[in-house]
Amino acid sequence: MRVTLKWAGRVAAVVLLLVVALLATVYAMSETRMRRTWQARVSVPSVPSDTAAVGRGEHLATIRGCRGCHAPDMGGATFVDSPAVAKLSGTNLTPGRGGVRLDDEALVRAIRHGVGPGGRSLLFMPSQEFSALSEADMGDLLAYLHSLPPVDRQLPPNRVGPLGRLLFLAGKVPLLPAEVVDHDTRPAQPQPGPTAAYGDYLASACKGCHGAGLSGGHIPGTPPDWPDAANLTPDPSGLAGWSEADLRRALREGVSRDGRALRTDFMPVRETRHLDDEEIAALYAYFRSVPAKARGGR
């Protein structure tokens, strides 16, 4: 019995040492990438100050999901709180206590390139969805940010846990946007209208969950119990039988074509319900134009 216990203790010690070595390696490798600094050339648009521009900027902040992570008042909010994975908060973007004080160049660098004031990549900022934001839209978005009243809110520091770092190294979580953004992307010049081209521009906000090919399936890096993203392509497993009215109802009311309630705790109907008729028509035209894919092909 003593021999057995001795060997069991040795095995446990070896396993513990291996786990510690693995965690140390994961931390060192992930920290090296997280500490890398980036140089990004920034194009700062002219920023209007009229009420129409501010209103348009608020609309963009809503439909593009900014207010989901930064809170409806843009005072910041914690959107991931799992010790093993990460604790991540959207920054307080107002001039209140706890808010950031960034000039327009720093804001554009963060929004389009995912790079913070010190040159390091921000954490989990979906800059790949904003890198081609047009100069006009960026100007209006900045106008809205300038108009924000102060919100006094201190947020906890962002941190990434061991599981989050491991998933990041495995390529399952796009933790560092500066690594995935094409820093040479030029701002788009879309002509607003109910066209597939304008829908393509708007749909950049959809591709984080639904995939580059919009065929949905499991969202990489999310827990296994999360629902799959829907297939938005004109495939029978997607939107093949959908009308524009069906899509409008889903986006604004959170109700599928078959009358099923969508999981609005995952599908951001709180943002998409603000899309206007022209934007929904453009998205519908774009979804109908992309190649049909079986669900989950991403």
Side-chain angles (χ1 to χ4, degrees):
M1 178 63 73
R2 289 181 179 177
V3 173
T4 301
L5 290 174
K6 181 185 292 186
W7 277 105
R10 290 176 178 175
V11 169
V14 170
V15 170
L16 179 61
L17 286 173
L18 289 174
V19 169
V20 170
L22 174 63
L23 291 175
T25 301
V26 166
Y27 181 87
M29 292 176 65
S30 59
E31 196 68 13
T32 297
R33 287 169 63 180
M34 291 164 66
R35 288 180 178 272
R36 177 183 172 183
T37 57
W38 300 79
Q39 299 294 326
R41 290 180 295 179
V42 173
S43 170
V44 180
S46 60
V47 181
S49 58
D50 57 280
T51 56
V54 172
R56 171 68 180 164
E58 182 177 9
H59 177 74
L60 289 167
T62 300
I63 66 171
R64 290 278 183 167
C66 305
R67 298 171 77 182
C69 291
H70 295 278
D73 59 8
M74 300 297 279
T78 297
F79 58 88
V80 175
D81 191 1
S82 173
V85 179
K87 185 160 190 170
L88 301 174
S89 302
T91 307
N92 181 347
L93 296 176
T94 79
R97 288 193 300 273
V100 297
R101 304 292 196 278
L102 299 179
D103 60 22
D104 287 345
E105 182 177 345
L107 284 169
V108 173
R109 185 177 290 110
I111 294 168
R112 279 200 179 126
H113 298 274
V115 177
R120 292 187 188 178
S121 178
L122 300 175
L123 296 178
F124 216 69
M125 165 71 183
S127 294
Q128 61 274 22
E129 300 174 12
F130 299 99
S131 59
L133 200 67
S134 73
E135 293 286 77
D137 281 352
M138 180 64 77
D140 289 346
L141 184 57
L142 293 175
Y144 169 60
L145 294 178
H146 291 175
S147 76
L148 292 172
V151 174
D152 296 332
R153 186 175 300 143
Q154 297 282 351
L155 295 158
N158 287 339
R159 60 169 299 278
V160 184
L163 180 57
R165 290 173 182 265
L166 183 60
L167 290 171
F168 163 58
L169 292 177
K172 300 297 185 181
V173 175
L175 184 65
L176 303 180
E179 290 189 346
V180 298
V181 167
D182 180 354
H183 295 284
D184 295 322
T185 296
R186 298 183 65 82
Q189 296 181 333
Q191 180 62 43
T195 64
Y198 191 52
D200 186 7
Y201 172 73
L202 295 171
S204 62
C206 308
K207 294 179 180 179
C209 291
H210 295 273
L214 297 173
S215 64
H218 186 71
I219 305 169
T222 60
D225 60 343
W226 273 38
D228 288 352
N231 184 354
L232 301 180
T233 77
D235 184 80
S237 65
L239 304 185
W242 285 52
S243 66
E244 184 179 320
D246 293 330
L247 180 63
R248 185 180 302 109
R249 187 182 183 203
L251 294 175
R252 289 190 178 157
E253 301 175 30
V255 178
S256 181
R257 177 172 177 261
D258 58 7
R260 175 177 48 87
L262 301 179
R263 292 284 302 276
T264 55
D265 47 339
F266 294 95
M267 169 63 187
V269 175
R270 62 187 177 277
E271 283 104 27
T272 60
R273 65 188 177 89
H274 295 282
L275 289 162
D276 62 34
D277 287 347
E278 184 175 79
E279 290 165 337
I280 292 175
L283 285 170
Y284 182 74
Y286 174 59
F287 294 156
R288 300 293 294 178
S289 75
V290 299
K293 278 186 167 185
R295 184 172 183 174
R298 305 300 290 175

